[in-house]
CSV table of all heavy atoms in Angstrom, one decimal:
chain,number,residue,atom,x,y,z
A,1,MET,N,0.9,-1.2,0.0
A,1,MET,CA,0.0,0.0,0.0
A,1,MET,C,0.9,1.2,0.0
A,1,MET,O,1.8,1.3,0.8
A,1,MET,CB,-0.9,0.0,1.2
A,1,MET,CG,-1.8,1.2,1.3
A,1,MET,SD,-3.1,0.9,2.5
A,1,MET,CE,-4.0,2.3,2.3
A,2,PHE,N,0.6,2.2,-0.9
A,2,PHE,CA,1.3,3.4,-1.0
A,2,PHE,C,1.0,4.3,0.2
A,2,PHE,O,-0.1,4.4,0.7
A,2,PHE,CB,1.0,4.1,-2.3
A,2,PHE,CG,1.7,5.4,-2.5
A,2,PHE,CD1,3.0,5.3,-3.0
A,2,PHE,CD2,1.2,6.6,-2.3
A,2,PHE,CE1,3.7,6.4,-3.3
A,2,PHE,CE2,1.9,7.7,-2.5
A,2,PHE,CZ,3.2,7.7,-3.0
A,3,GLN,N,2.1,5.0,0.7
A,3,GLN,CA,1.9,5.8,1.9
A,3,GLN,C,2.6,7.2,1.7
A,3,GLN,O,3.8,7.2,1.4
A,3,GLN,CB,2.4,5.1,3.1
A,3,GLN,CG,2.2,5.9,4.4
A,3,GLN,CD,2.6,5.1,5.6
A,3,GLN,OE1,2.8,3.9,5.5
A,3,GLN,NE2,2.7,5.7,6.7
A,4,PHE,N,1.9,8.3,1.9
A,4,PHE,CA,2.6,9.6,1.8
A,4,PHE,C,3.4,9.8,3.1
A,4,PHE,O,3.0,9.3,4.2
A,4,PHE,CB,1.5,10.7,1.7
A,4,PHE,CG,0.8,10.7,0.4
A,4,PHE,CD1,-0.5,10.1,0.3
A,4,PHE,CD2,1.4,11.2,-0.7
A,4,PHE,CE1,-1.1,10.1,-0.9
A,4,PHE,CE2,0.7,11.2,-1.9
A,4,PHE,CZ,-0.5,10.7,-2.0
A,5,GLU,N,4.4,10.6,2.9
A,5,GLU,CA,5.2,10.9,4.1
A,5,GLU,C,4.4,11.8,5.1
A,5,GLU,O,3.7,12.6,4.7
A,5,GLU,CB,6.5,11.8,3.7
A,5,GLU,CG,7.5,10.9,3.0
A,5,GLU,CD,8.8,11.7,2.7
A,5,GLU,OE1,9.0,12.7,3.5
A,5,GLU,OE2,9.4,11.4,1.7
A,6,GLY,N,4.5,11.4,6.4
A,6,GLY,CA,3.9,12.2,7.4
A,6,GLY,C,2.4,11.9,7.6
A,6,GLY,O,1.7,12.5,8.4
A,7,ARG,N,1.9,10.9,6.9
A,7,ARG,CA,0.5,10.5,7.0
A,7,ARG,C,0.4,9.1,7.3
A,7,ARG,O,1.1,8.2,6.8
A,7,ARG,CB,-0.3,10.8,5.7
A,7,ARG,CG,-0.4,12.3,5.5
A,7,ARG,CD,-1.3,12.5,4.3
A,7,ARG,NE,-1.3,13.9,4.0
A,7,ARG,CZ,-2.1,14.4,3.1
A,7,ARG,NH1,-3.0,13.7,2.5
A,7,ARG,NH2,-2.0,15.7,2.8
A,8,GLY,N,-0.5,8.7,8.2
A,8,GLY,CA,-0.7,7.3,8.5
A,8,GLY,C,-1.6,6.6,7.5
A,8,GLY,O,-2.1,7.2,6.6
A,9,ARG,N,-1.8,5.3,7.7
A,9,ARG,CA,-2.6,4.6,6.8
A,9,ARG,C,-4.0,4.6,7.4
A,9,ARG,O,-4.3,4.8,8.6
A,9,ARG,CB,-2.2,3.1,6.7
A,9,ARG,CG,-0.9,3.0,6.0
A,9,ARG,CD,-0.5,1.6,5.7
A,9,ARG,NE,-0.5,0.8,7.0
A,9,ARG,CZ,0.0,-0.3,7.1
A,9,ARG,NH1,0.7,-0.9,6.1
A,9,ARG,NH2,0.0,-1.0,8.3
A,10,GLY,N,-5.0,4.1,6.6
A,10,GLY,CA,-6.4,4.0,7.1
A,10,GLY,C,-7.1,5.3,6.9
A,10,GLY,O,-6.9,6.1,6.0
A,11,ARG,N,-8.0,5.5,7.9
A,11,ARG,CA,-8.9,6.7,7.8
A,11,ARG,C,-8.1,8.0,8.1
A,11,ARG,O,-7.3,8.1,9.0
A,11,ARG,CB,-10.0,6.6,8.8
A,11,ARG,CG,-10.9,5.5,8.5
A,11,ARG,CD,-12.0,5.5,9.5
A,11,ARG,NE,-12.9,4.3,9.2
A,11,ARG,CZ,-13.8,3.9,10.0
A,11,ARG,NH1,-14.1,4.6,11.0
A,11,ARG,NH2,-14.6,2.9,9.6
A,12,GLY,N,-8.3,9.0,7.2
A,12,GLY,CA,-7.6,10.2,7.4
A,12,GLY,C,-8.3,11.1,8.4
A,12,GLY,O,-9.4,10.8,8.9
A,13,SER,N,-7.7,12.2,8.6
A,13,SER,CA,-8.3,13.2,9.5
A,13,SER,C,-9.0,14.3,8.7
A,13,SER,O,-8.9,15.5,9.0
A,13,SER,CB,-7.2,13.8,10.4
A,13,SER,OG,-6.2,14.5,9.6
A,14,GLY,N,-9.6,13.9,7.6
A,14,GLY,CA,-10.2,14.8,6.7
A,14,GLY,C,-11.1,15.9,7.3
A,14,GLY,O,-11.9,15.6,8.2
A,15,ARG,N,-10.9,17.0,6.8
A,15,ARG,CA,-11.7,18.2,7.3
A,15,ARG,C,-13.1,18.0,6.8
A,15,ARG,O,-13.4,17.5,5.8
A,15,ARG,CB,-11.1,19.5,6.8
A,15,ARG,CG,-9.9,19.9,7.4
A,15,ARG,CD,-9.5,21.2,6.9
A,15,ARG,NE,-8.4,21.7,7.5
A,15,ARG,CZ,-7.6,22.7,7.1
A,15,ARG,NH1,-7.9,23.3,5.9
A,15,ARG,NH2,-6.6,23.1,7.7
A,16,GLY,N,-14.0,18.4,7.7
A,16,GLY,CA,-15.4,18.4,7.3
A,16,GLY,C,-16.1,17.1,7.4
A,16,GLY,O,-17.3,17.0,7.0
A,17,ARG,N,-15.5,16.1,7.8
A,17,ARG,CA,-16.1,14.8,8.0
A,17,ARG,C,-17.2,14.9,9.0
A,17,ARG,O,-17.0,15.4,10.1
A,17,ARG,CB,-15.1,13.7,8.4
A,17,ARG,CG,-14.2,13.3,7.2
A,17,ARG,CD,-13.2,12.2,7.6
A,17,ARG,NE,-13.9,11.2,8.4
A,17,ARG,CZ,-13.2,10.4,9.3
A,17,ARG,NH1,-11.9,10.6,9.5
A,17,ARG,NH2,-13.8,9.5,9.9
A,18,GLY,N,-18.4,14.3,8.7
A,18,GLY,CA,-19.5,14.3,9.7
A,18,GLY,C,-20.2,15.7,9.9
A,18,GLY,O,-20.9,15.9,10.8
A,19,ARG,N,-20.0,16.5,8.9
A,19,ARG,CA,-20.7,17.8,9.0
A,19,ARG,C,-21.9,17.8,8.1
A,19,ARG,O,-21.8,17.8,6.9
A,19,ARG,CB,-19.7,18.9,8.6
A,19,ARG,CG,-18.5,18.9,9.4
A,19,ARG,CD,-17.9,20.3,9.4
A,19,ARG,NE,-16.8,20.3,10.2
A,19,ARG,CZ,-16.4,21.2,11.0
A,19,ARG,NH1,-17.2,22.3,11.1
A,19,ARG,NH2,-15.3,21.1,11.8
A,20,GLY,N,-23.1,17.9,8.6
A,20,GLY,CA,-24.3,18.1,7.8
A,20,GLY,C,-24.9,16.7,7.4
A,20,GLY,O,-24.3,15.7,7.7
A,21,PRO,N,-26.0,16.8,6.8
A,21,PRO,CA,-26.8,15.6,6.5
A,21,PRO,C,-26.2,14.8,5.3
A,21,PRO,O,-26.7,13.7,5.0
A,21,PRO,CB,-28.2,16.1,6.2
A,21,PRO,CG,-28.0,17.5,5.8
A,21,PRO,CD,-26.8,18.0,6.5
A,22,GLY,N,-25.4,15.4,4.5
A,22,GLY,CA,-24.9,14.7,3.3
A,22,GLY,C,-25.7,15.0,2.1
A,22,GLY,O,-26.6,15.8,2.1
A,23,ARG,N,-25.3,14.4,1.0
A,23,ARG,CA,-25.9,14.6,-0.3
A,23,ARG,C,-27.4,14.4,-0.4
A,23,ARG,O,-28.1,15.2,-1.0
A,23,ARG,CB,-25.1,13.8,-1.3
A,23,ARG,CG,-25.5,14.1,-2.7
A,23,ARG,CD,-24.7,13.4,-3.7
A,23,ARG,NE,-25.2,13.5,-5.0
A,23,ARG,CZ,-24.8,12.9,-6.0
A,23,ARG,NH1,-23.7,12.1,-5.9
A,23,ARG,NH2,-25.3,13.0,-7.2
A,24,MET,N,-27.8,13.3,0.1
A,24,MET,CA,-29.2,12.9,-0.1
A,24,MET,C,-30.1,13.2,1.1
A,24,MET,O,-31.3,13.1,1.0
A,24,MET,CB,-29.3,11.4,-0.3
A,24,MET,CG,-28.6,10.9,-1.6
A,24,MET,SD,-29.1,11.7,-3.1
A,24,MET,CE,-30.7,10.9,-3.3
A,25,GLY,N,-29.5,13.8,2.2
A,25,GLY,CA,-30.3,14.0,3.4
A,25,GLY,C,-30.6,15.5,3.6
A,25,GLY,O,-31.1,15.9,4.6
A,26,GLY,N,-30.3,16.3,2.6
A,26,GLY,CA,-30.5,17.8,2.8
A,26,GLY,C,-31.9,18.2,2.7
A,26,GLY,O,-32.8,17.4,2.4
A,27,PRO,N,-32.2,19.5,2.7
A,27,PRO,CA,-33.5,20.0,2.6
A,27,PRO,C,-34.1,19.7,1.2
A,27,PRO,O,-33.4,19.8,0.2
A,27,PRO,CB,-33.4,21.5,2.9
A,27,PRO,CG,-32.0,21.8,2.8
A,27,PRO,CD,-31.2,20.6,3.0
A,28,LYS,N,-35.3,19.5,1.1
A,28,LYS,CA,-36.0,19.2,-0.1
A,28,LYS,C,-36.6,20.4,-0.7
A,28,LYS,O,-37.1,21.3,0.1
A,28,LYS,CB,-37.1,18.1,0.1
A,28,LYS,CG,-36.6,16.8,0.7
A,28,LYS,CD,-35.8,16.0,-0.3
A,28,LYS,CE,-35.5,14.7,0.3
A,28,LYS,NZ,-34.1,14.5,0.7
A,29,ALA,N,-36.7,20.5,-2.0
A,29,ALA,CA,-37.3,21.6,-2.6
A,29,ALA,C,-38.8,21.5,-2.4
A,29,ALA,O,-39.3,20.4,-2.3
A,29,ALA,CB,-37.0,21.7,-4.1
A,30,ALA,N,-39.6,22.6,-2.4
A,30,ALA,CA,-41.0,22.5,-2.1
A,30,ALA,C,-41.8,22.0,-3.3
A,30,ALA,O,-42.9,21.6,-3.2
A,30,ALA,CB,-41.5,23.9,-1.7
A,31,GLY,N,-41.2,22.1,-4.5
A,31,GLY,CA,-42.0,21.6,-5.7
A,31,GLY,C,-42.8,22.7,-6.3
A,31,GLY,O,-42.9,23.8,-5.8
A,32,PRO,N,-43.5,22.4,-7.4
A,32,PRO,CA,-44.3,23.4,-8.1
A,32,PRO,C,-45.6,23.7,-7.5
A,32,PRO,O,-46.2,24.8,-7.8
A,32,PRO,CB,-44.5,22.8,-9.5
A,32,PRO,CG,-44.5,21.3,-9.3
A,32,PRO,CD,-43.5,21.1,-8.1
A,33,ASP,N,-46.2,22.9,-6.7
A,33,ASP,CA,-47.5,23.1,-6.1
A,33,ASP,C,-47.4,24.0,-4.9
A,33,ASP,O,-46.3,24.3,-4.4
A,33,ASP,CB,-48.1,21.8,-5.7
A,33,ASP,CG,-48.4,20.9,-6.9
A,33,ASP,OD1,-48.6,21.5,-8.0
A,33,ASP,OD2,-48.4,19.7,-6.8
A,34,GLY,N,-48.5,24.4,-4.3
A,34,GLY,CA,-48.5,25.1,-3.1
A,34,GLY,C,-48.9,26.6,-3.3
A,34,GLY,O,-49.2,27.0,-4.4
A,35,LYS,N,-48.7,27.3,-2.2
A,35,LYS,CA,-49.1,28.7,-2.2
A,35,LYS,C,-48.1,29.6,-1.5
A,35,LYS,O,-47.3,29.1,-0.7
A,35,LYS,CB,-50.5,28.9,-1.5
A,35,LYS,CG,-51.6,28.3,-2.3
A,35,LYS,CD,-52.9,28.6,-1.6
A,35,LYS,CE,-54.0,27.9,-2.3
A,35,LYS,NZ,-54.9,28.7,-3.1
A,36,CYS,N,-48.0,30.8,-1.9
A,36,CYS,CA,-47.2,31.8,-1.2
A,36,CYS,C,-48.2,32.5,-0.2
A,36,CYS,O,-49.3,32.8,-0.5
A,36,CYS,CB,-46.7,32.8,-2.1
A,36,CYS,SG,-45.5,32.2,-3.3
A,37,VAL,N,-47.7,32.6,1.1
A,37,VAL,CA,-48.6,33.2,2.1
A,37,VAL,C,-47.9,34.3,2.8
A,37,VAL,O,-46.7,34.2,3.0
A,37,VAL,CB,-49.1,32.0,3.1
A,37,VAL,CG1,-47.9,31.5,3.8
A,37,VAL,CG2,-50.1,32.5,4.0
A,38,CYS,N,-48.6,35.3,3.2
A,38,CYS,CA,-48.1,36.4,3.9
A,38,CYS,C,-48.1,36.1,5.4
A,38,CYS,O,-49.2,35.8,6.0
A,38,CYS,CB,-48.9,37.7,3.7
A,38,CYS,SG,-48.4,39.1,4.7
A,39,PRO,N,-47.0,36.1,6.1
A,39,PRO,CA,-47.0,35.8,7.5
A,39,PRO,C,-47.6,36.9,8.4
A,39,PRO,O,-48.0,36.6,9.5
A,39,PRO,CB,-45.5,35.6,7.9
A,39,PRO,CG,-44.8,36.4,6.8
A,39,PRO,CD,-45.6,36.4,5.6
A,40,ASN,N,-47.8,38.0,7.8
A,40,ASN,CA,-48.4,39.2,8.6
A,40,ASN,C,-49.9,39.2,8.5
A,40,ASN,O,-50.6,39.2,9.6
A,40,ASN,CB,-47.8,40.5,8.0
A,40,ASN,CG,-48.2,41.7,8.9
A,40,ASN,OD1,-48.2,41.6,10.1
A,40,ASN,ND2,-48.5,42.8,8.3
A,41,CYS,N,-50.5,39.2,7.3
A,41,CYS,CA,-51.9,39.3,7.2
A,41,CYS,C,-52.6,38.0,6.8
A,41,CYS,O,-53.9,37.9,6.8
A,41,CYS,CB,-52.3,40.4,6.2
A,41,CYS,SG,-52.0,40.1,4.5
A,42,GLY,N,-51.9,37.0,6.3
A,42,GLY,CA,-52.5,35.7,5.9
A,42,GLY,C,-52.9,35.6,4.5
A,42,GLY,O,-53.5,34.6,4.1
A,43,HIS,N,-52.7,36.7,3.7
A,43,HIS,CA,-53.1,36.6,2.2
A,43,HIS,C,-52.3,35.5,1.6
A,43,HIS,O,-51.1,35.3,1.8
A,43,HIS,CB,-52.7,38.0,1.6
A,43,HIS,CG,-53.0,38.0,0.1
A,43,HIS,ND1,-54.2,38.0,-0.4
A,43,HIS,CD2,-52.1,37.9,-0.9
A,43,HIS,CE1,-54.1,38.0,-1.8
A,43,HIS,NE2,-52.8,38.0,-2.1
A,44,LYS,N,-53.1,34.8,0.7
A,44,LYS,CA,-52.4,33.6,-0.1
A,44,LYS,C,-52.6,33.9,-1.6
A,44,LYS,O,-53.6,34.4,-2.1
A,44,LYS,CB,-53.2,32.3,0.3
A,44,LYS,CG,-53.0,31.9,1.7
A,44,LYS,CD,-53.6,30.6,2.0
A,44,LYS,CE,-53.5,30.2,3.4
A,44,LYS,NZ,-54.1,28.9,3.7
A,45,GLU,N,-51.5,33.4,-2.3
A,45,GLU,CA,-51.5,33.5,-3.7
A,45,GLU,C,-50.9,32.2,-4.2
A,45,GLU,O,-50.1,31.6,-3.6
A,45,GLU,CB,-50.6,34.6,-4.2
A,45,GLU,CG,-51.1,36.0,-4.0
A,45,GLU,CD,-50.2,37.1,-4.6
A,45,GLU,OE1,-49.1,36.8,-5.1
A,45,GLU,OE2,-50.7,38.2,-4.7
A,46,PRO,N,-51.3,31.7,-5.4
A,46,PRO,CA,-50.7,30.5,-6.0
A,46,PRO,C,-49.2,30.8,-6.2
A,46,PRO,O,-48.8,31.8,-6.6
A,46,PRO,CB,-51.4,30.3,-7.3
A,46,PRO,CG,-52.6,31.3,-7.3
A,46,PRO,CD,-52.3,32.3,-6.3
A,47,HIS,N,-48.4,29.7,-6.0
A,47,HIS,CA,-47.0,29.8,-6.3
A,47,HIS,C,-46.7,29.7,-7.7
A,47,HIS,O,-47.2,28.8,-8.4
A,47,HIS,CB,-46.3,28.6,-5.5
A,47,HIS,CG,-44.8,28.5,-5.9
A,47,HIS,ND1,-43.9,29.4,-5.5
A,47,HIS,CD2,-44.2,27.6,-6.6
A,47,HIS,CE1,-42.7,29.1,-6.0
A,47,HIS,NE2,-42.9,28.0,-6.7
A,48,ALA,N,-45.9,30.6,-8.3
A,48,ALA,CA,-45.5,30.5,-9.7
A,48,ALA,C,-44.2,29.8,-9.8
A,48,ALA,O,-43.2,30.1,-9.1
A,48,ALA,CB,-45.3,31.9,-10.2
A,49,VAL,N,-44.1,28.8,-10.7
A,49,VAL,CA,-42.9,28.0,-10.9
A,49,VAL,C,-41.7,28.9,-11.3
A,49,VAL,O,-41.9,29.8,-12.1
A,49,VAL,CB,-43.1,26.9,-11.9
A,49,VAL,CG1,-41.8,26.1,-12.2
A,49,VAL,CG2,-44.2,25.9,-11.5
A,50,GLY,N,-40.6,28.8,-10.6
A,50,GLY,CA,-39.4,29.5,-10.9
A,50,GLY,C,-39.4,30.9,-10.2
A,50,GLY,O,-38.5,31.7,-10.5
A,51,GLU,N,-40.3,31.2,-9.5
A,51,GLU,CA,-40.4,32.5,-8.8
A,51,GLU,C,-40.6,32.2,-7.3
A,51,GLU,O,-41.7,31.9,-6.8
A,51,GLU,CB,-41.7,33.2,-9.3
A,51,GLU,CG,-41.6,34.7,-9.2
A,51,GLU,CD,-42.8,35.4,-9.9
A,51,GLU,OE1,-43.1,35.1,-11.0
A,51,GLU,OE2,-43.5,36.2,-9.2
A,52,PRO,N,-39.5,32.3,-6.5
A,52,PRO,CA,-39.5,32.0,-5.1
A,52,PRO,C,-40.5,33.0,-4.3
A,52,PRO,O,-40.6,34.2,-4.7
A,52,PRO,CB,-38.1,32.3,-4.6
A,52,PRO,CG,-37.3,32.2,-5.8
A,52,PRO,CD,-38.1,32.7,-6.9
A,53,CYS,N,-41.2,32.4,-3.4
A,53,CYS,CA,-42.2,33.2,-2.6
A,53,CYS,C,-41.5,34.4,-1.9
A,53,CYS,O,-42.0,35.5,-1.7
A,53,CYS,CB,-42.9,32.3,-1.6
A,53,CYS,SG,-44.1,31.2,-2.4
A,54,PHE,N,-40.3,34.1,-1.4
A,54,PHE,CA,-39.6,35.2,-0.7
A,54,PHE,C,-39.1,36.4,-1.5
A,54,PHE,O,-38.7,37.4,-1.0
A,54,PHE,CB,-38.4,34.6,0.1
A,54,PHE,CG,-37.4,33.9,-0.7
A,54,PHE,CD1,-36.4,34.6,-1.4
A,54,PHE,CD2,-37.3,32.6,-0.8
A,54,PHE,CE1,-35.4,34.0,-2.1
A,54,PHE,CE2,-36.4,31.9,-1.5
A,54,PHE,CZ,-35.4,32.6,-2.2
A,55,ASP,N,-39.3,36.2,-2.9
A,55,ASP,CA,-39.0,37.4,-3.7
A,55,ASP,C,-40.3,38.2,-4.0
A,55,ASP,O,-40.2,39.2,-4.7
A,55,ASP,CB,-38.5,36.8,-5.1
A,55,ASP,CG,-37.0,36.5,-5.0
A,55,ASP,OD1,-36.4,36.8,-4.0
A,55,ASP,OD2,-36.5,35.8,-6.0
A,56,LYS,N,-41.4,37.8,-3.5
A,56,LYS,CA,-42.7,38.5,-3.6
A,56,LYS,C,-43.0,39.3,-2.4
A,56,LYS,O,-42.7,38.8,-1.3
A,56,LYS,CB,-43.8,37.5,-3.9
A,56,LYS,CG,-43.8,36.8,-5.2
A,56,LYS,CD,-45.1,35.9,-5.3
A,56,LYS,CE,-45.2,35.3,-6.6
A,56,LYS,NZ,-46.5,34.6,-6.7
A,57,ASN,N,-43.7,40.4,-2.6
A,57,ASN,CA,-44.2,41.1,-1.5
A,57,ASN,C,-45.7,41.0,-1.5
A,57,ASN,O,-46.4,40.9,-2.6
A,57,ASN,CB,-43.8,42.6,-1.5
A,57,ASN,CG,-42.4,42.8,-1.2
A,57,ASN,OD1,-41.8,42.1,-0.5
A,57,ASN,ND2,-41.8,43.9,-1.8
A,58,CYS,N,-46.4,41.0,-0.3
A,58,CYS,CA,-47.8,40.9,-0.2
A,58,CYS,C,-48.5,42.1,-0.8
A,58,CYS,O,-48.1,43.2,-0.5
A,58,CYS,CB,-48.2,40.7,1.3
A,58,CYS,SG,-50.0,40.7,1.5
A,59,PRO,N,-49.4,41.9,-1.7
A,59,PRO,CA,-50.1,43.0,-2.3
A,59,PRO,C,-51.0,43.8,-1.4
A,59,PRO,O,-51.3,45.0,-1.6
A,59,PRO,CB,-51.0,42.4,-3.4
A,59,PRO,CG,-51.2,41.0,-3.1
A,59,PRO,CD,-49.9,40.6,-2.2
A,60,LYS,N,-51.3,43.2,-0.2
A,60,LYS,CA,-52.2,43.9,0.7
A,60,LYS,C,-51.4,44.7,1.7
A,60,LYS,O,-51.7,45.9,2.0
A,60,LYS,CB,-53.0,42.9,1.5
A,60,LYS,CG,-54.1,42.2,0.7
A,60,LYS,CD,-55.0,41.4,1.5
A,60,LYS,CE,-56.1,40.8,0.6
A,60,LYS,NZ,-57.1,40.0,1.4
A,61,CYS,N,-50.3,44.2,2.3
A,61,CYS,CA,-49.6,44.9,3.3
A,61,CYS,C,-48.1,45.1,3.0
A,61,CYS,O,-47.4,45.8,3.8
A,61,CYS,CB,-49.7,44.1,4.7
A,61,CYS,SG,-48.9,42.5,4.7
A,62,GLY,N,-47.5,44.5,1.9
A,62,GLY,CA,-46.2,44.7,1.6
A,62,GLY,C,-45.1,43.9,2.2
A,62,GLY,O,-43.9,44.0,2.0
A,63,THR,N,-45.5,43.0,3.1
A,63,THR,CA,-44.6,42.1,3.8
A,63,THR,C,-44.1,41.0,2.9
A,63,THR,O,-44.8,40.6,2.0
A,63,THR,CB,-45.3,41.4,5.0
A,63,THR,OG1,-45.9,42.4,5.9
A,63,THR,CG2,-44.4,40.5,5.8
A,64,THR,N,-42.8,40.6,3.0
A,64,THR,CA,-42.3,39.5,2.2
A,64,THR,C,-43.0,38.2,2.5
A,64,THR,O,-43.3,37.8,3.6
A,64,THR,CB,-40.8,39.3,2.6
A,64,THR,OG1,-40.1,40.5,2.3
A,64,THR,CG2,-40.1,38.2,1.7
A,65,MET,N,-43.4,37.5,1.4
A,65,MET,CA,-44.2,36.3,1.5
A,65,MET,C,-43.3,35.1,1.8
A,65,MET,O,-42.1,35.1,1.5
A,65,MET,CB,-45.1,36.1,0.3
A,65,MET,CG,-46.0,37.3,0.1
A,65,MET,SD,-47.2,37.1,-1.2
A,65,MET,CE,-48.4,36.1,-0.5
A,66,THR,N,-43.9,34.0,2.3
A,66,THR,CA,-43.2,32.8,2.5
A,66,THR,C,-44.0,31.7,1.8
A,66,THR,O,-45.1,31.8,1.4
A,66,THR,CB,-43.1,32.5,4.0
A,66,THR,OG1,-44.4,32.4,4.6
A,66,THR,CG2,-42.3,33.5,4.7
A,67,ARG,N,-43.4,30.5,1.8
A,67,ARG,CA,-44.0,29.3,1.1
A,67,ARG,C,-44.9,28.6,2.1
A,67,ARG,O,-44.5,28.4,3.3
A,67,ARG,CB,-42.9,28.4,0.6
A,67,ARG,CG,-43.4,27.2,-0.3
A,67,ARG,CD,-43.9,27.8,-1.6
A,67,ARG,NE,-44.4,26.7,-2.4
A,67,ARG,CZ,-43.7,26.1,-3.4
A,67,ARG,NH1,-42.5,26.4,-3.6
A,67,ARG,NH2,-44.3,25.1,-4.0
A,68,GLU,N,-46.1,28.2,1.7
A,68,GLU,CA,-47.0,27.4,2.6
A,68,GLU,C,-46.6,25.9,2.5
A,68,GLU,O,-46.3,25.4,1.5
A,68,GLU,CB,-48.4,27.6,2.1
A,68,GLU,CG,-49.4,26.9,3.0
A,68,GLU,CD,-50.8,27.2,2.6
A,68,GLU,OE1,-51.1,27.0,1.4
A,68,GLU,OE2,-51.6,27.6,3.4
C-alpha cells in the first residue's frame, strides 16, 4: 500500500467529515405546487414555478411572503 510521508494509513483526519446531512439528506425543494402566504396578514397566492415566494411582497400589506 502506498503511503505519503507524514501521514498514517487508514482513515484520514479529513476536514469536514461528519458535517451536515450529506448529499441525499439535505432539505428538499418545495416543488411546483403550493401557495405563497403572507406571515403578517395571511393573504395567499398561487406559487409561480421559478419564482420564489420570498421574492414576492404581499399586495395587501407589503410584507415579504413565505411558502406554505
